Structure formats: structure tokens, C-alpha cells
């Protein structure tokens, strides 16, 4: 074995983007040129520092037989070598740009491969890396071919002269930390490795180099103009349009336009002397006109999400099936746009966006958020030494993705301050591609951008912006506005998104927003189910802030995604239930309603008694029509009755099955009346018990013991909930972090003082005061029990005392039933959870569930599972009717146990099912990174009275 001196590692801390790589170019998945995937099992050696080993491992005769193996694409820290680190914005190393720690985990990767027997001998070959974090140096057959940074961007190297038929040795040294790490401080796990594809591409003589598909659409004439510029001359054919032209030449023909709602793609071919490359062409024009973002002449409304790439076992090494699953889930939940936070995604994801139809804001791989800790001092974005690296990242983003019709906006990056580097990026992009607009949220003066973009602006401010009363410079006031991040989907929530949507639809200037974010970044873990920040011993971390998505880590939709689907549905259904009319409005931007079928159903006391089809015209976008409902199938006198109207897919589409529900509304007819309750009989005092109708009470305390032989324990007023991530709030809003303030006040340890137990002629009355230790505030609480002989009625009266400055978490009663109670039946909101500002998707009906199924598995346990607007519920042989309707929650652990849990594995079922019957709940909001619950959703301490009627029932639901 040969010996060589230790490799120089100066490149690791060099601010340049690297050396040896070919110029960036358009990415395409395939052509008729031969290619060889180098994905698979690679030999792997991990070192603690960048210079711990010399580069002799790159020699052709090096023996790596005792090395470990890792999968490529993959992250070595998710394959048993080291540990992941999660920070939101703080750098997990000292900020001393461009220097990085000596302790710099470095992974040496080796792959030995043979060329296929039919590998052509003519022309050249290119080695392509689609993504390596964060810095890599590459050798092929012992020759150093270069190094690169820019983790989420492709890099290609000319290697044809180095290849041999068999025994090729590809060696890649990957460093976790580099100067590039300062530009990649995105809110995500730090995960080193070769996490995207590695491919060897044959490049025949006369093969395609770079090309740019220009395919515009004239909405006035209905014609598209195609021109394909190519570095190598060739011809472009599009058979469906009878196009056959030379590269560089324009042709105009009638076409169907591409939009996110009608993603019409035309198959074509770019043919040069040495290669044929398939094209998928979408004709569309993006412009900034009349102060609005317009596509094909029409202003669009983004109903979007921010999407980090994530898989709970593979990290950012996503396979095609997972990417397709993401797109299908988005389409099925009415999402029409994606911001690729905060880097370009795997290019195959953009192919899917083209195919299925999603507007894309394609974001550059740039974030320097950690420099906020030093007021942006030394920020690379405003340091000209780093400008070449920034321009390289901009170029690699634009050149790779420029041929995707789904990409309508280029984003310069995220949370990187402002400065000369961003201006240089914007100027370069405009010079290269004038067919799209430019976005960057941090540019409040809009010097470099074409859109005014903000994160987490409160509703009132968004409305002022919509009305043009936001101030700022003249240029900014003339630009469209988007919320590039809002509705922070961390834990239970987000709340208040329906209120945002009403603003978006009320003011033209407000062109929608993007929920933060798509998926929880929990890592599958035997200890916890899913792990989050701090679970791997990180010295510096941001806890479960990495779990803030509309999907749980296993891609199960959260209640937040179900809520969002309802809020952004593309058909507005309103009507007059008693009058029997419904008004349909097409809220699509481009599509008519011809792909939808409409159905009605009629409910009596939550049960559907009849269904039918509804004839609705194929309304054009923005148009409305009133449709007559049939005569109600029964008058339902005395019952609660109403219509449910649905819009569903009339036939199977590329993204959804026939019958898939797109939009719905419920139109009440009769409210219904409660069964009369006439108290009869007086409470009877025994030696230890008081009996009243079907119930028995403790004679000393007045505590309920049994109803009809069903044991009941611990019934009392309850105001505490296990704080949600949004209750705990963001650190910059200390005066409204209600979870912390509630705990300081002691609402989690309320004391219940018994003042009196009174036996009257027809009632048992228990008078109490419920209050936290150390404070003078309290809640005078009176429980008044009556019975009509077979049923038991509880009326709770609450009167606040003292200066209650905080809203309450909840207000209601809690009680315990035997642990054998399992099946729950209720009439009210469902099938999932709902809270005051998250119940748009809560459909009133008759529902069934088990207690376990009623739990929402937030990665960090917290308040969850309440069903809203419940008229009655049955559990464990007990029926509860509310006056008024109530929130219903049932779980196999106490709120205190839920509060103490850090992971789902901390929760163990006990011998009691704890039931909450709530008169009120505090709203959810999205204050984990955004505004809290709006005033109308806050549960202020005020006099309240509410009642429940209890009765034993037989277990008839299995």
C-alpha cells in the first residue's frame, strides 16, 4: 500500500463553493444515454476530526474490508454512527466564520463498481451527486477530482478519462461541518451524509449539455409559444402539437395551459446529435401585474404548505414513493402550493408537482439564522467574500429547476438577514430568468423582491396590509402580500387559520400563505416512539420545536391537516337550511366544477335518514349558483334536523378516487328540543350515603359515588389542561405564554374547599370554592343535583372571585369511570378533535370510537382529543346529555399524567377512564411561533352556569 502525507483540509473552511465541478445545468431524470446508479451499500469509516486519516483510502488497492457499511442515499447518524443534532436557529458550534470545530465528524465512503458490459466507449462520462451534507471531497481511481459545498444542490464532475471497465474505486470524504454550514442554518436536524442519489452518466459525443424550455401562454389568444434554448444544437418535437423545430427557434400554437388545478403537460423530445431527452412541457406565464401575482392573466391564491424533506427513519433521504405520497396527500387535502423550505427539494419532487399540479416557491439552500444572536454582525450575506458561494447556490438552484412549469417563484433563501450577497443573487436570477418572480421574506423594504412576504403576522396586521394601511415604502405598498409562514402546526393546532383564510379571500392584495409546516420531524426511536431535540444528548437543542407539522412523523394526517383541508376547500357551500336552498361558489382560480359531483344527505338527531344527488352546473371560477334542495324527507318535529351537502370527485382522477370528498357544509333546519326534566323526589339521607333517584352520594362531602350501579369517582370542577405547545407560547411573547402563566398561578394544583352540603326538598346542593394556593383568586362553585326518578341532573354554577387576569384553560367537570369503559358513542362534532378555533372540520353527526382511538398522538403529549359541540355521549354504561352542548374528552390517564409526559411512551393506561365534560375551552392559536388565540376564542373567567343529565344505559355498542 502506498503512503502519502495527510490531506490538506483547508477547503473545509474555504468560503468558496468548491473546485472541479462542472457548471450547473438543467436536471432531467432520464434520456437514451446510458447511466449507472451508484446508490446502495457503501463501505464507511467515521473519524472524529477532518484530518484524523490521510487520503490513502482513495487508492485503488486500499483494503476497506473491515469497514462498516452504510446505505447511500443516507445519513450516517441515522445508521448507527454518531447522533443527530436538532437546533432551530442556533449554530451548534462557535460562531467564528468561516472556522468550524476541530471536532468535525468525517465520514469516508467507498464504492467499488464495474461498468456495465454495454457501457459505450465513445464520448465522456459525468459523475453526479444530487445532495451531500455539508462538504465533500471526491476521488475516482485514486485521482482527486474536486470538492464541493451546497448540501441540497447537485454537483457534477467529468470523469470519463478516469474510468476503467472494472474495479473503479469511488472515494468520498464527507465532513459534517464546513464553511458551508454557516449558510445552512435551517430549522432542521443536522444530518451529515450522502443523502441523495449518486449517478454515473455517459455523455455521448454531441449529447445535451444545458437547455432551457421557454413555454409561455397568452390567455387572450389561447396560444402557447415554445422555444428551447440549448447549448448543443438540436431539434424539438412535440407530437401532440405537431411541433418540429430547431432549438432556439420559437413556434406559437393553440394549447391548453398548465396550472396547478389543470396541470396539462405535453410530451416532447429534445434531440441532439448524440442524445434524446424527454421533455414534459407546461405552457404558462407568470407575471407581476396590477400589483398582483398572476398566472395566465389571473391572480392566484396560494393555499400552501412549507415542506421540509423528511422520513422518520431515513431523514432527508426520500425515496420516490414517499415523495409521491406527499404530493397525493397534499392534493387530497386541497393544498395547491408548496414552498420548498428552505432548500431545493429532490428534483423528482418537482416532477411530481408538474404532473399532479402544485404551485412551487423554489427556495435556495441558504439560511444564516444563527447570526441574529449577534445582531447579524459578520453575516455572510453582507460579506463580499461569501458572494461567490451565494451566487453558486442561486445558479445551481435556477439552472437545475428552470424547466419545471410548477416553479412560479424563486426564493433567495430564508432568514439570512439582508445584504449585498442577496442583491447579487436577485440580479443574477433576473438576468437569467425573467419569467418568474423573486421572493425573500427578510427583505422588508422589498429592494430585491417582487412580493411583500412576512411570517406569522397577526390577523389584525394582515387585514391592515390587505387594506393598504401597512405603511412601508411606496414599492412595498404596491406589491402583493403573502404569509410565507403562518399557522405554526406544532402539537395541537394550528388555531385561527379559518380567520386568516377569510382575510385572504376578502382582500385581493392578500394572495394566501403557507402553513408551517408539512410534517413532524420525529425520528423513529425504540425508547420514545419518536425522538426530538435533546433525545440524543445534544448540549444545545430546541426540543420538540422540530415537530411542527400537519402530518405526524409516520405521515398520518393530524387534526390540523384535516382542519386546513376544510378551511381552504375550493367550493364554498352556503345556504338556508329551513328554506331548502344552497348557494354554490366555485373558489378555484382556473378549473370549473365539471370534475365534481354533489350530494345531499338529511340528518335527524345526527343520523342520516336519506341521501341523494344534487344537480349543480359546471360553474366557472368565481361564479355562483343557487340550487334547490329536495323537500325534507320528514319534518323531524322536536328533533334536531339538517342537511349535509358534499362536493366529491365524480370520477377517479390522477390524485384521488371517485367519491373523494373535496368540500362540504352543514345547513341546520331545526335546533331540536331537550327532553323535559321535572325534578321529583327529595334526597334521602342514610348513615353514610345520600340517595337521589338512581344516584348515591357521600353523605359528608356530597361527592357522587354511583349512578344506577355505575361507580363514579372524583367528579369536580376542572380548569386545567395539559398545556399545548401553543399554550406554552414563543419566548418573545412572555406576557401571553399562558401555559407558563397558568402554571405560575397554580391552575394545575387547584384546591377544592367544601363549604356546605345541603339537602333540600328536591335537590342536593354542594357549595365549594376552587382556588390555587398562594393567590386570592378563586371560583365559587355550586353543584346542584336533582332527579326525575330515573335520570340525574347536575347544574354547575361558577362565580369568579378576585382579579382574574388570565383566561382559563378549560371550564367543566371531570369524573372517573371504571377502566373497563371503552366504547364511546356521541352525537356532536367529529369524527376528530375540535377546539374553539380549530373546529371548522368538526362535522355534527352520530359517531363511535374507542377511548384509545379518541387520543391524538402528538409527539410531545399535551391536551388533545376533545370532541366539540357534543349533544350527548355514552361511555361505560353512562349517558350524558348537555345543556348547552359541551366538549367531551375521555382518556386512560389523568390530565396531570398527560402533563408530566415528555413522550407517548410515558403514558400508561390506568384502572380509570377519566372523562371531561367541558362548558368552555380556551382556543388554541399558534403561539408556539405566531399569534395566540384570538379574543373571541379566549375563555375569560366570568359567571357561568351549565347542566348535564346523567342516566344509566345498557352497553349496546359492543
Amino acid at each position: 500500500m502506498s503512503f502519502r502525507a495527510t490531506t490538506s483540509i483547508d477547503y473545509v473552511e474555504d468560503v468558496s463553493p468548491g473546485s472541479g465541478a462542472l457548471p450547473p445545468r438543467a436536471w432531467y431524470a432520464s434520456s437514451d444515454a446510458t447511466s449507472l446508479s451508484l446508490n446502495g451499500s457503501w463501505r464507511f469509516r467515521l473519524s472524529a476530526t477532518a484530518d484524523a486519516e490521510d487520503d490513502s483510502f482513495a487508492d485503488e488497492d486500499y483494503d476497506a474490508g473491515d469497514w462498516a457499511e452504510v446505505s447511500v442515499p443516507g445519513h450516517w447518524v441515522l445508521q448507527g454512527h454518531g447522533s443527530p443534532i436538532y437546533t432551530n436557529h442556533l449554530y451548534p458550534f462557535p460562531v467564528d466564520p468561516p472556522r468550524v470545530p476541530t471536532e468535525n465528524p468525517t465520514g469516508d465512503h467507498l464504492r467499488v463498481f464495474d461498468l456495465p458490459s454495454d457501457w459505450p466507449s465513445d464520448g465522456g462520462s459525468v459523475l453526479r451527486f444530487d445532495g451531500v451534507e455539508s462538504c465533500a471531497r471526491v476521488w475516482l481511481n485514486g485521482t482527486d477530482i474536486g470538492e464541493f459545498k451546497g448540501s441540497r444542490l447537485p454537483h457534477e464532475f467529468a470523469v470519463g478519462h478516469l474510468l476503467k471497465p472494472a474495479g473503479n474505486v469511488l472515494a468520498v470524504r464527507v465532513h459534517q461541518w464546513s464553511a458551508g454550514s454557516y449558510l445552512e442554518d435551517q430549522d432542521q436536524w443536522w444530518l451529515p451524509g450522502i443523502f441523495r442519489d449518486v449517478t454515473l452518466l455517459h455523455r455521448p459525443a454531441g449529447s445535451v449539455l444545458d437547455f432551457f424550455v421557454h413555454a409561455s401562454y397568452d390567455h387572450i389568444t389561447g396560444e402557447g409559444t415554445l422555444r428551447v434554448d440549448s447549448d448543443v444544437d438540436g431539434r424539438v418535437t412535440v407530437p401532440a402539437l405537431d411541433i418540429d423545430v430547431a432549438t432556439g427557434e420559437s413556434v406559437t400554437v393553440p394549447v391548453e395551459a398548465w396550472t396547478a388545478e389543470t396541470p396539462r403537460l405535453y410530451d416532447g423530445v429534445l434531440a441532439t446529435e448524440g442524445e434524446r431527452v424527454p421533455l414534459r412541457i407546461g405552457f404558462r406565464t407568470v407575471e407581476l401585474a396590477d400589483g398582483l401575482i398572476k398566472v395566465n392573466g389571473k391572480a392566484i391564491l396560494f393555499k400552501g404548505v412549507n415542506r421540509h424533506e423528511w422520513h422518520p427513519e431515513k431523514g432527508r433521504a426520500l425515496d420516490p414513493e414517499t415523495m409521491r405520497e406527499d404530493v397525493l396527500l397534499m392534493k387530497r387535502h386541497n393544498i395547491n402550493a408548496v414552498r420548498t423550505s428552505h432548500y431545493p427539494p429532490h428534483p423528482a419532487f418537482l416532477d411530481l408537482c408538474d404532473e399532479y399540479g402544485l404551485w412551487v416557491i423554489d427556495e435556495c439552500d441558504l439560511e444564516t439564522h444563527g447570526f441574529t444572536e449577534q445582531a447579524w454582525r459578520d453575516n455572510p450575506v453582507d460579506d463580499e467574500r461569501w458572494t461567490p458561494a451565494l451566487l453558486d447556490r442561486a445558479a445551481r438552484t435556477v439552472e437545475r429547476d428552470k424547466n419545471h412549469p410548477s416553479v412560479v417563484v424563486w426564493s433567495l433563501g430564508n432568514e439570512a438577514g439582508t445584504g449585498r450577497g442577496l442583491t447579487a443573487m436577485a440580479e443574477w436570477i433576473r438576468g437569467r430568468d425573467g419569467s418568474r418572480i423573486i421572493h425573500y421574506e427578510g427583505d422588508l423594504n422589498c429592494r430585491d423582491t417582487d412580493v411583500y412576504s412576512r411570517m406569522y403576522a397577526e390577523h389584525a396586521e394582515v387585514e391592515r396590509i390587505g387594506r393598504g394601511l401597512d405603511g412601508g415604502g411606496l414599492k412595498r405598498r404596491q406589491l402583493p402580500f403573502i404569509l410565507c409562514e403562518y399557522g405554526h402546526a406544532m402539537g395541537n393546532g394550528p388555531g385561527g387559520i379559518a380567520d386568516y383564510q377569510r382575510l385572504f379571500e376578502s382582500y385581493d392584495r392578500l394572495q394566501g400563505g403557507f402553513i408551517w409546516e408539512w410534517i413532524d420531524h420525529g425520528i423513529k426511536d425504540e425508547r420514545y416512539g419518536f425522538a426530538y431535540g435533546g433525545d440524543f444528548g445534544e448540549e444545545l437543542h430546541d426540543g420538540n420545536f422540530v415537530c411542527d407539522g400537519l402530518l405526524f412523523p409516520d405521515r398520518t394526517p393530524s387534526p390540523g391537516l384535516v382542519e386546513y383541508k376544510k378551511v381552504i376547500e375550493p367550493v364554498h357551500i352556503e345556504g338556508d337550511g329551513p328554506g331548502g336552498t344552497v348557494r354554490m361558489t366555485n373558489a378555484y382560480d382556473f378549473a370549473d366544477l365539471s370534475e365534481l359531483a354533489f350530494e345531499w344527505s338529511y340528518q335527524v338527531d345526527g343520523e342520516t335518514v336519506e341521501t341523494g344527488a344534487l344537480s349543480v352546473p359546471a360553474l366557472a371560477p368565481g361564479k355562483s349558483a343557487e340550487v334547490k334542495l329536495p323537500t325534507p324527507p320528514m319534518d323531524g318535529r322536536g328533533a334536531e334536523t339538517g342537511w349535509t351537502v358534499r362536493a366529491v370527485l365524480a370520477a377517479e382522477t390522477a390524485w384521488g378516487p371517485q367519491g373523494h370528498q373535496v368540500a362540504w357544509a352543514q345547513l341546520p333546519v331545526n335546533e331540536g328540543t331537550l327532553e323535559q326534566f321535572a325534578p321529583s323526589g327529595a334526597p334521602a339521607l342514610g348513615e353514610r350515603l345520600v340517595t337521589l333517584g338512581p344516584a348515591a352520594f357521600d353523605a359528608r362531602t356530597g361527592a357522587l359515588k354511583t349512578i344506577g350501579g355505575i361507580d363514579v369517582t372524583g367528579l369536580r370542577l376542572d380548569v386545567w389542561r395539559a398545556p399545548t405547545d401553543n399554550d406554552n407560547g414563543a419566548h418573545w411573547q412572555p406576557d401571553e405564554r399562558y401555559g407558563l402563566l397558568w402554571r405560575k398561578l397554580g391552575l394545575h394544583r387547584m384546591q377544592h374547599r367544601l363549604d356546605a352540603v345541603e339537602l333540600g326538598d328536591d335537590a342536593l346542593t354542594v357549595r365549594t370554592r376552587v382556588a390555587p394556593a398562594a393567590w386570592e383568586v378563586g371560583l365559587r362553585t355550586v353543584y346542584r343535583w336533582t332527579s326525575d326518578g330515573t335520570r340525574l341532573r347536575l347544574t354547575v354554577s361558577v362565580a369568579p372571585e378576585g382579579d382574574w387576569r388570565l383566561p382559563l384553560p378549560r371550564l367543566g367537570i371531570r369524573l372517573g369511570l371504571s377502566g373497563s369503559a371503552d366504547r364511546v358513542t356521541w352525537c356532536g362534532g367529529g369524527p376528530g378533535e375540535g377546539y374553539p378555533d380549530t373546529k371548522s372540520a368538526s362535522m355534527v353527526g352520530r359517531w363511535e370510537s374507542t377511548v384509545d382511538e379518541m387520543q391524538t398522538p402528538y409527539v410531545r403529549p399535551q391536551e388533545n382529543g376533545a370532541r366539540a359541540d357534543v349533544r350527548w355521549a355514552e361511555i361505560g354504561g353512562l349517558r350524558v346529555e348537555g345543556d348547552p352542548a359541551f366538549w367531551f374528552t375521555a382518556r386512560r390517564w389523568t390530565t396531570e399524567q398527560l402533563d408530566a409526559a415528555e413522550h407517548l411512551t410515558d403514558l400508561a393506561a390506568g384502572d380509570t377512564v377519566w372523562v371531561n365534560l367541558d362548558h368552555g375551552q380556551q382556543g388554541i392559536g399558534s403561539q408556539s411561533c405566531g399569534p395566540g388565540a384570538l379574543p373571541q376564542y379566549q375563555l375569560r373567567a366570568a359567571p357561568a352556569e351549565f347542566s348535564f343529565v346523567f342516566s344509566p344505559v345498557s352497553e349496546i355498542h359492543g
Side-chain angles (χ1 to χ4, degrees), residues 174-484:
V174 180
H175 307 282
Q176 174 154 19
W177 310 122
S178 69
S181 301
Y182 285 99
L183 304 180
E184 296 172 4
D185 189 25
Q186 294 98 336
D187 176 10
Q188 61 182 343
W189 294 96
W190 299 86
L191 298 174
I194 305 173
F195 68 96
R196 286 185 184 160
D197 306 290
V198 182
T199 311
L200 184 68
L201 306 168
H202 177 243
R203 309 309 299 138
S207 62
V208 172
L209 294 178
D210 190 24
F211 63 96
F212 197 161
V213 177
H214 303 274
S216 60
Y217 179 74
D218 186 328
H219 65 279
I220 303 297
T221 65
E223 294 178 316
T225 298
L226 175 66
R227 187 185 81 247
V228 178
D229 295 332
S230 174
D231 287 356
V232 175
D233 291 342
R235 297 196 68 80
V236 176
T237 55
V238 186
L241 297 175
D242 198 26
I243 289 176
D244 184 349
V245 296
T247 53
E249 293 184 6
S250 296
V251 59
T252 300
V253 295
V255 297
E256 297 175 42
W258 187 97
T259 75
E261 297 164 8
T262 57
R264 179 66 164 95
L265 292 173
Y266 291 92
D267 291 325
V269 173
L270 167 60
T272 63
E273 178 185 352
E275 188 176 16
R276 293 171 57 85
V277 175
L279 304 177
R280 303 211 77 192
I281 302 166
F283 291 88
R284 58 105 186 95
T285 294
V286 183
E287 60 181 338
L288 189 66
D290 305 317
L292 298 172
I293 303 167
K294 292 187 176 183
V295 177
N296 303 338
K298 298 186 69 172
I300 60 175
L301 184 62
F302 292 118
K303 302 172 181 179
V305 292
N306 287 274
R307 175 187 176 270
H308 269 298
E309 294 182 304
W310 188 251
H311 186 282
E313 296 174 82
K314 302 175 184 177
R316 287 187 287 277
L318 264 61
D319 55 84
E321 292 74 20
T322 299
M323 290 184 264
R324 185 177 298 272
E325 183 180 354
D326 277 349
V327 171
L328 292 177
L329 278 169
M330 290 176 188
K331 294 294 289 187
R332 290 169 185 168
H333 287 85
N334 294 329
I335 289 164
N336 73 358
V338 179
R339 176 176 173 234
T340 69
S341 53
H342 296 293
Y343 43 83
H346 191 292
F349 179 78
L350 297 180
D351 286 341
L352 294 167
C353 294
D354 295 342
E355 178 182 352
Y356 290 101
L358 289 167
W359 308 119
V360 175
I361 295 181
D362 196 355
E363 196 146 85
C364 187
D365 190 9
L366 171 63
E367 182 167 334
T368 63
H369 200 174
F371 284 90
T372 57
E373 298 300 309
Q374 54 200 59
W376 297 107
R377 186 174 62 256
D378 298 326
N379 182 15
V381 162
D382 199 29
D383 183 337
E384 61 185 11
R385 294 177 302 164
W386 295 79
T387 299
L390 301 183
L391 289 172
D392 180 76
R393 288 170 184 249
R396 291 188 182 279
T397 299
V398 171
E399 301 295 9
R400 192 197 77 167
D401 297 342
K402 59 183 178 283
N403 294 327
H404 290 282
S406 57
V407 176
V408 294
V409 179
W410 298 119
S411 180
L412 302 179
N414 182 69
E415 292 175 318
T418 56
R420 292 167 284 179
L422 281 176
T423 300
M425 292 169 69
E427 290 176 349
W428 184 90
I429 292 173
R430 286 195 176 94
R432 178 57 172 152
D433 177 24
S435 69
R436 297 172 172 94
I437 68 172
I438 294 178
H439 165 272
Y440 178 68
E441 178 268 339
D443 184 10
L444 293 181
N445 293 323
C446 300
R447 178 182 66 181
D448 299 320
T449 65
D450 301 313
V451 57
Y452 178 29
S453 176
R454 290 280 302 283
M455 297 179 180
Y456 308 109
E458 295 188 356
H459 297 76
E461 183 182 3
V462 172
E463 182 164 21
R464 288 195 298 272
I465 293 170
R467 297 172 62 189
L469 303 176
D470 53 303
L474 177 62
K475 178 184 178 183
R476 190 177 88 181
R477 294 199 304 273
Q478 294 174 336
L479 294 179
F481 175 82
I482 64 169
L483 277 171
C484 68

Side-chain angles (χ1 to χ4, degrees), residues 426-595:
E427 290 176 349
W428 184 90
I429 292 173
R430 286 195 176 94
R432 178 57 172 152
D433 177 24
S435 69
R436 297 172 172 94
I437 68 172
I438 294 178
H439 165 272
Y440 178 68
E441 178 268 339
D443 184 10
L444 293 181
N445 293 323
C446 300
R447 178 182 66 181
D448 299 320
T449 65
D450 301 313
V451 57
Y452 178 29
S453 176
R454 290 280 302 283
M455 297 179 180
Y456 308 109
E458 295 188 356
H459 297 76
E461 183 182 3
V462 172
E463 182 164 21
R464 288 195 298 272
I465 293 170
R467 297 172 62 189
L469 303 176
D470 53 303
L474 177 62
K475 178 184 178 183
R476 190 177 88 181
R477 294 199 304 273
Q478 294 174 336
L479 294 179
F481 175 82
I482 64 169
L483 277 171
C484 68
E485 293 180 21
Y486 82 111
H488 196 252
M490 184 178 179
N492 189 334
I497 56 175
D499 305 271
Y500 276 117
Q501 192 66 24
R502 281 190 285 270
L503 294 173
F504 297 157
E505 294 176 0
S506 298
Y507 299 97
D508 290 344
R509 186 188 181 194
L510 307 181
Q511 292 198 251
F514 296 79
I515 295 289
W516 185 268
E517 66 154 311
W518 178 235
I519 187 169
D520 287 343
H521 298 197
I523 294 177
K524 189 173 182 180
D525 188 279
E526 292 182 355
R527 302 165 298 168
Y528 307 123
F530 294 108
Y532 50 76
D535 287 338
F536 299 96
E538 305 103 301
E539 293 180 349
L540 190 68
H541 65 86
D542 286 287
N544 68 312
F545 202 69
V546 76
C547 294
D548 46 12
L550 294 170
L551 297 180
F552 296 123
D554 63 359
R555 281 184 161 72
T556 300
S558 76
L561 181 56
V562 177
E563 174 81 356
Y564 193 41
K565 174 186 176 181
K566 172 61 179 167
V567 165
I568 60 175
E569 60 190 12
V571 182
H572 294 169
I573 306 172
E574 303 164 303
D576 175 11
T581 59
V582 60
R583 183 175 180 82
M584 303 289 189
T585 301
N586 181 352
Y588 284 113
D589 291 324
F590 296 93
D592 64 24
L593 301 187
S594 58
E595 287 196 344

Side-chain angles (χ1 to χ4, degrees), residues 51 118 127 152 286 360 574 755 826 945:
D51 59 356
D118 60 349
L127 178 65
R152 268 67 71 173
V286 183
V360 175
E574 303 164 303
D755 288 343
W826 75 98
E945 184 172 285

